[in-house]
Amino acid sequence: MNNNNNNNNNNAHAVVRRSVPCYFCNEFLEERYLSEHVKHCGAVLEECPHKCGVYVPRRNMQIHDRSCLKKISKRNSEIKVDPNDSMWKEKVLSILTLLRGAIDDTERERKRLNETMINNFALLHRKQEILEMMRLNTIESLEETRKNNSTLEQRLNNLELGCDSMEQRTCMSFQKISEQLQLLQMGLNEEQNKQDKLFDDWIKDLSELKTFVAKESILVSGIWQEQLQRIHDLKLELEMRCKDSKDLIKKYEELQDKINSIGKETRELVRTTNEQRKDIKGLRFQAKENVIYLEELVKDSSLKVSTLENSDSSECKCCLRELGPFSTNGRLIWRIERYKEKINIAKEDDSPIYSPIFLNKDYGYTLRMELFLNGLGQWKDRHVIGCLKVENGKWDPLLDWPCILRATVILKDQDNPANDLRKIVKSVRRENSDTEKPDKESGLYMFIPHTTLARHSGYTKNDVIFLEIQVKDIKKSDSMPSLLT
């Protein structure tokens, strides 16, 4: 294979180097004849033999020789001319005119040849690029053809081996079938002989049976009459028992209905028990979260009390009762710890987690964030779903209802703040708020795909998630449809 590749590459290079242009006359010829062609090419530039400093194409050397200024000056220096001779002056002027014309023609010819050479070099460069592309394409085609041929050859070999093995198996199978047919033929012959002998025995037994039946028919007629009488008696007894069976069937159907109703009640009881067990798990999880939250509140309250006790004694200590464990500026940074444990619990019982309570402003609406880490419904196992809940507060009688709020929820990237993820969620409090289902189009829920959490490790760094919640009021509009959360 390597030898073939080398031969193909050499052939490809040979094709490219087969025709090359002459650098002087731009004539294409085989490369091996180029040096010989340059020796005789008429466009080769040669220095004037009279050393006038001009390089002239070889084919125009005789013309230049006739008009060479240095040769003419040598010739004139040898001829003694009378400077006052008017004829001599006219000849000199005519010669100078001819020389000037020849020089102009030579300059134009040089420019034309220069342009032609530039164009020829550009054309040569393009042709070389085309040839190089053709060479590369040819090499690629040869490689692909070689690969296809090797693959085809391997497949043909495999097919040939398969055909040989199949032919061998077929011959062996035909041989075994032939042997089995011979054995079967021998068995059939033996069986046929046995059947003939058995048939003769049956004929003999049948004749004996006919004789016996004729003798027994007389006895059977008497027995038949006796059996008919017994059948009649059994029929009467059966009719009496059928009446009792109908009563039993009716009682059985009533008992079956009772069993079905008990089974239905049992299944309903089992379903209710499972739901209660599921609710108990959620309540247990929520109670655990509330205990942790209360412990944090107790620590914060203890710190605040100790701070107030150490402050100026003139300050009223009754203000401790006014300290609230929540934010009142509409902004909350929620730290969710033990993320993996909580999402595993959510996968088992779909229980939500709740953020600390906060206010959108001083004496404003009491809010908290409800978060389903494993999603709900069609979003289950795919998204984190959250909504803003409006809780009962102390200042609700002084506020406008229904309340319309808009919250910006920011998922914080602990490694790179540029990757923070922003979500918008609206909140409206209504009486039948529990009937609303998550819907991306409604704007009441925010959705964070699980793939987004996995894309950047900073979202769940150290098994902790940070959600920043910023709440703003939305002015009520008559054209706005009722929103529900």
Side-chain angles (χ1 to χ4, degrees):
M1 294 297 291
N2 293 329
N3 294 331
N4 293 332
N5 291 335
N6 294 330
N7 293 333
N8 291 331
N9 293 333
N10 293 333
N11 293 335
H13 288 296
V15 172
V16 174
R17 295 194 300 268
R18 183 177 296 171
S19 297
V20 294
C22 176
Y23 295 108
F24 300 97
C25 63
N26 292 327
E27 181 181 356
F28 283 86
L29 67 160
E30 293 186 10
E31 187 176 9
R32 58 181 177 175
Y33 300 132
L34 179 62
S35 59
E36 187 68 23
H37 170 79
V38 171
K39 293 179 181 179
H40 304 89
C41 179
V44 175
L45 297 176
E46 294 183 349
E47 187 179 4
C48 176
H50 302 292
K51 306 298 181 179
C52 66
V54 178
Y55 286 85
V56 184
R58 188 179 289 165
R59 68 168 71 92
N60 299 330
M61 185 59 71
Q62 293 181 358
I63 298 173
H64 174 73
D65 186 67
R66 289 194 297 269
S67 62
C68 180
L69 296 177
K70 198 160 186 180
K71 181 180 179 182
I72 292 173
S73 62
K74 287 182 179 180
R75 189 188 305 165
N76 290 336
S77 63
E78 294 176 358
I79 301 173
K80 296 181 178 179
V81 180
D82 186 5
N84 297 323
D85 191 356
S86 61
M87 185 177 294
W88 180 82
K89 291 181 179 180
E90 290 178 358
K91 288 182 179 180
V92 170
L93 289 175
S94 62
I95 291 170
L96 291 175
T97 304
L98 291 173
L99 288 174
R100 174 63 62 183
I103 290 170
D104 293 339
D105 294 340
T106 303
E107 183 66 21
R108 287 193 295 272
E109 183 67 17
R110 185 185 67 79
K111 291 181 179 179
R112 185 185 66 79
L113 290 174
N114 191 18
E115 293 176 356
T116 303
M117 185 177 294
I118 291 171
N119 294 331
N120 289 335
F121 275 126
L123 180 61
L124 177 61
H125 183 66
R126 288 196 298 271
K127 289 184 177 181
Q128 287 179 346
E129 290 179 350
I130 293 171
L131 288 172
E132 184 67 17
M133 291 177 63
M134 292 175 63
R135 184 181 69 81
L136 294 175
N137 292 333
T138 303
I139 292 173
E140 291 177 357
S141 300
L142 289 173
E143 290 292 335
E144 186 176 359
T145 304
R146 191 176 299 109
K147 291 179 181 178
N148 293 334
N149 288 336
S150 62
T151 305
L152 183 60
E153 184 177 358
Q154 184 177 2
R155 290 182 178 178
L156 288 174
N157 292 333
N158 295 334
L159 182 61
E160 185 176 357
L161 293 174
C163 290
D164 293 338
S165 62
M166 186 178 293
E167 185 176 0
Q168 293 176 0
R169 290 196 300 269
T170 305
C171 293
M172 294 177 64
S173 299
F174 280 139
Q175 186 176 359
K176 291 180 180 179
I177 290 171
S178 176
E179 293 176 357
Q180 291 177 359
L181 287 175
Q182 291 177 359
L183 294 174
L184 183 61
Q185 182 66 34
M186 294 173 63
L188 287 174
N189 293 332
E190 293 177 358
E191 188 67 23
Q192 183 66 34
N193 295 330
K194 291 180 180 179
Q195 292 295 331
D196 293 339
K197 184 178 180 181
L198 184 62
F199 184 72
D200 294 337
D201 294 337
W202 283 355
I203 292 175
K204 184 178 180 181
D205 293 339
L206 183 60
S207 60
E208 293 177 355
L209 181 61
K210 286 181 179 180
T211 305
F212 178 76
V213 169
K215 293 179 181 179
E216 293 294 327
S217 60
I218 299 171
L219 297 174
V220 169
S221 60
I223 296 170
W224 179 251
Q225 294 296 328
E226 187 177 337
Q227 292 296 329
L228 285 177
Q229 183 65 35
R230 292 184 63 184
I231 290 171
H232 179 70
D233 297 337
L234 289 173
K235 185 176 180 182
L236 293 175
E237 185 178 356
L238 182 62
E239 288 178 356
M240 295 297 294
R241 292 187 177 184
C242 283
K243 293 180 180 180
D244 297 335
S245 298
K246 289 180 180 179
D247 296 336
L248 291 174
I249 291 171
K250 186 176 181 181
K251 291 180 181 180
Y252 173 76
E253 290 176 352
E254 292 175 354
L255 183 60
Q256 188 67 31
D257 293 338
K258 291 181 179 180
I259 292 172
N260 292 334
S261 62
I262 292 172
K264 185 176 181 182
E265 292 176 358
T266 304
R267 287 191 295 271
E268 184 67 23
L269 183 60
V270 171
R271 185 182 64 81
T272 306
T273 304
N274 291 333
E275 291 179 356
Q276 289 178 354
R277 186 181 296 111
K278 187 176 179 181
D279 294 339
I280 289 170
K281 287 184 179 179
L283 291 173
R284 186 183 302 164
F285 174 73
Q286 191 61 39
K288 187 177 179 181
E289 292 295 317
N290 291 336
V291 168
I292 296 172
Y293 178 62
L294 289 174
E295 289 176 355
E296 294 176 355
L297 290 181
V298 169
K299 291 179 182 179
D300 294 340
S301 299
S302 300
L303 292 174
K304 291 179 180 178
V305 169
S306 62
T307 303
L308 290 173
E309 287 177 352
N310 295 328
S311 63
D312 190 4
S313 60
S314 61
E315 183 178 358
C316 181
K317 293 186 178 181
C318 64
C319 64
L320 294 174
R321 296 174 300 186
E322 301 297 331
L323 292 174
F326 42 72
S327 172
T328 60
N329 60 357
R331 182 171 179 265
L332 173 68
I333 296 182
W334 183 13
R335 177 187 172 98
I336 304 174
E337 298 182 348
R338 308 191 320 276
Y339 166 72
K340 294 181 180 178
E341 177 186 350
K342 291 178 180 179
I343 196 171
N344 289 332
I345 294 173
K347 289 179 179 179
E348 292 178 1
D349 52 17
D350 296 331
S351 59
I353 61 175
Y354 296 94
S355 71
I357 292 176
F358 66 102
L359 303 181
N360 66 319
K361 58 184 179 180
D362 291 336
Y363 310 108
Y365 299 104
T366 304
L367 307 171
R368 76 189 309 176
M369 193 74 183
E370 183 182 34
L371 203 64
F372 296 89
L373 292 177
N374 197 42
L376 286 176
Q378 60 178 330
W379 315 106
K380 190 174 181 180
D381 297 326
R382 295 192 298 147
H383 288 72
V384 175
I385 299 177
C387 62
L388 190 63
K389 306 290 287 188
V390 181
E391 304 289 345
N392 295 327
K394 294 187 291 185
W395 299 282
D396 287 354
L398 304 178
L399 302 175
D400 295 331
W401 298 98
C403 73
I404 302 175
L405 301 174
R406 174 177 292 168
T408 302
V409 181
I410 303 173
L411 176 62
K412 308 294 285 185
D413 190 334
Q414 303 170 46
D415 291 334
N416 185 9
N419 294 330
D420 288 352
L421 182 64
R422 291 178 174 266
K423 295 290 182 178
I424 304 297
V425 59
K426 298 176 183 177
S427 175
V428 173
R429 176 174 174 176
R430 281 181 17 180
E431 295 302 328
N432 57 347
S433 59
D434 294 336
T435 60
E436 186 69 24
K437 295 181 180 179
D439 186 2
K440 273 191 173 182
E441 302 298 330
S442 68
L444 300 178
Y445 290 80
M446 67 94 181
F447 296 78
I448 301 175
H450 289 171
T451 54
T452 302
L453 292 174
R455 187 178 306 143
H456 301 287
S457 60
Y459 290 142
T460 57
K461 187 176 180 181
N462 298 325
D463 204 21
V464 176
I465 293 178
F466 286 96
L467 290 178
E468 182 178 352
I469 306 167
Q470 300 174 359
V471 181
K472 294 182 180 180
D473 293 333
I474 300 178
K475 293 182 179 181
K476 186 176 180 182
S477 174
D478 296 335
S479 61
M480 181 181 292
S482 296
L483 299 176
L484 179 63
T485 182

